[in-house]
Amino acid sequence: MTQNKRKSTFRFPVFYICLLIGVALALIAMAVGLARLRVILADYEDAQPKYAAEAVFAEHFAHPDFAALVARSGMPANVSPLETEAGFAAELEERFGGEKTSYASTTAGTDGSLRYLVKAGEQKIAVFSLKVSEEKSEYGFDQYELGEIELYIRPEESVTVSAPTGDSVYLNGTLLDEQYITERGIETDSCAHMPEGVSGITYTTYSVGSLLRTPAIEVKAPDGTAAPLTQDAETGVWTADVVYDTALAEKYADQMITVAQNYAAFVMRDAYFASFSSYFDKTTDLYQTIRQVPTSFVWRHDGYSFADVSATEFYAYNDDTFSCRIRFVHILHRIGNEDYTEQLDITFYLHRVNGEFLIYDMVNQ
């Protein structure tokens, strides 16, 4: 009996086929996922604030343009408002222009912003902040952008100016107002010689601090004339001179010189009291005092003359009162002897009486 033998064939189990396919798909998915994860992580890394800070520093502070920085940030609160942005930028350039700059993270702002301290050499010159941008990264991460720039500098200068009350004081072209006044009503010698109801010359003192450098100072009288300024070598205080009245000088200088010279001659018994008395107010004690000046002790002489004559410091306190200063050298001559000289320095105070100016007081310096 013959037996039929059947040929058997091998079949790969379906299970393993499915498994291999699954593993392959998983590997592909993992590779795709890893690739995507790398992109996401790269996007996340790129969104980190340290890169934004680096970019801000490179753009604004690595090689700083101080004029542009000041234009963006404005003036610091600790610097006097009398300083200009141009002056501030110039001072920054002068102090820090040649220094190497660096930056480092510092305390976060109260609004949650990130802050970075900038130094030029060892000196703090600025703080800049980063804030969260309205735009997100490709995968939705927060991005950062420049918030504020705050510039720092230490103001090291101050100035004090004393000027006649009523004059206008300017620093860097800005008129100083009441907030800068530190003292008022500083009396001059004239105040002791004023008639009732008339004020003498007083001074007002202005002080300004938090300045970056010595400012440009200008003082103007009420008529707009610039007043000369002098600085005390010890205190550093600037004082404005009184601006005197040139119109009064032109009108009365010759007359007042004549009065002073006749008075000097009278004292030396070379002139009569009447030669000048009509220019004095007869109702004053001064008139009687001059009238009774003793002339018994006079250096004997044969003649006299005057030298270095000047009439200055004409000042109107109001329409009816003014003063002036007369100076000259009174020289007495005597044959066979050296000249005797005396320096006279007289300030006359005059007021209007019945339409005419008369001397009511005088001071011999």
Side-chain angles (χ1 to χ4, degrees), residues 38-362:
R38 288 193 191 95
V39 174
I40 294 173
L41 289 176
D43 187 54
Y44 171 78
E45 178 66 18
D46 290 342
Q48 293 304 296
K50 64 181 180 180
Y51 297 110
E54 184 179 330
V56 169
F57 176 79
E59 179 181 356
H60 296 285
F61 296 103
H63 303 286
D65 178 343
F66 288 113
L69 285 171
V70 172
R72 192 188 191 286
S73 70
M75 300 287 285
N78 68 324
V79 174
S80 170
L82 298 178
E83 293 286 4
T84 64
E85 289 192 356
F88 179 36
E91 188 68 13
L92 287 170
E93 181 65 40
E94 183 175 322
R95 293 193 194 184
F96 309 119
E99 298 286 347
K100 182 178 180 180
T101 55
S102 61
Y103 76 104
S105 177
T106 188
T107 307
T110 55
D111 58 355
S113 61
L114 303 176
R115 289 164 57 86
Y116 298 83
L117 173 66
V118 181
K119 287 185 176 182
E122 295 301 317
Q123 296 293 315
K124 172 184 176 182
I125 63 168
V127 166
F128 68 86
S129 64
L130 296 180
K131 63 181 181 179
V132 176
S133 172
E134 293 181 357
E135 297 183 1
K136 300 290 185 180
S137 70
E138 181 180 356
Y139 289 95
F141 297 111
D142 285 341
Q143 296 193 109
Y144 291 85
E145 63 183 8
L146 177 61
E148 296 181 348
I149 294 177
E150 303 169 36
L151 295 174
Y152 286 85
I153 198 168
R154 179 179 296 173
E156 298 174 344
E157 295 293 330
S158 61
V159 66
T160 298
V161 181
S162 189
T165 301
D167 284 12
S168 300
V169 180
Y170 297 84
L171 257 63
N172 292 334
T174 300
L175 176 65
L176 298 187
D177 56 24
E178 295 281 323
Q179 67 177 305
Y180 297 104
I181 294 177
T182 54
E183 191 173 1
R184 303 173 187 267
I186 304 169
E187 294 188 350
T188 63
D189 291 341
S190 66
C191 295
H193 303 280
M194 292 295 103
E196 185 176 354
V198 181
S199 298
I201 300 170
T202 62
Y203 270 71
T204 300
T205 300
Y206 300 78
S207 295
V208 181
S210 299
L211 295 166
L212 298 173
R213 56 180 66 187
T214 301
I217 305 169
E218 187 177 20
V219 177
K220 292 183 179 181
D223 66 357
T225 304
L229 286 159
T230 56
Q231 186 179 31
D232 188 283
E234 294 184 1
T235 66
V237 174
W238 291 92
T239 300
D241 292 345
V242 174
V243 174
Y244 294 105
D245 194 322
T246 55
L248 275 176
E250 290 176 2
K251 186 173 183 179
Y252 292 103
D254 291 342
Q255 182 185 99
M256 291 297 100
I257 289 172
T258 299
V259 171
Q261 290 179 342
N262 285 347
Y263 164 74
F266 166 73
V267 172
M268 293 296 173
R269 291 192 295 187
D270 287 320
Y272 293 105
F273 180 64
S275 66
F276 63 90
S277 61
S278 62
Y279 295 100
F280 284 76
D281 185 345
K282 295 179 174 60
T283 66
T284 63
D285 293 339
L286 173 66
Y287 180 85
Q288 297 302 326
T289 299
I290 293 175
R291 189 174 187 176
Q292 299 170 15
V293 168
T295 58
S296 56
F297 301 100
V298 176
W299 191 79
R300 292 181 60 187
H301 57 284
D302 305 312
Y304 68 93
S305 60
F306 301 105
D308 301 328
V309 181
S310 67
T312 60
E313 299 183 15
F314 283 80
Y315 188 88
Y317 302 94
N318 59 21
D319 291 340
D320 299 315
T321 313
F322 78 89
S323 65
C324 63
R325 186 175 184 180
I326 311 299
R327 285 173 284 190
F328 54 80
V329 177
H330 190 183
I331 307 169
L332 302 182
H333 310 289
R334 184 179 180 187
I335 298 173
N337 289 270
E338 291 185 1
D339 290 341
Y340 173 83
T341 62
E342 184 175 6
Q343 178 71 51
L344 270 80
D345 187 345
I346 301 172
T347 297
F348 289 131
Y349 292 90
L350 300 92
H351 62 180
R352 197 188 301 271
V353 179
N354 297 325
E356 181 182 6
F357 277 107
L358 299 178
I359 299 168
Y360 67 87
D361 201 357
M362 63 180 281

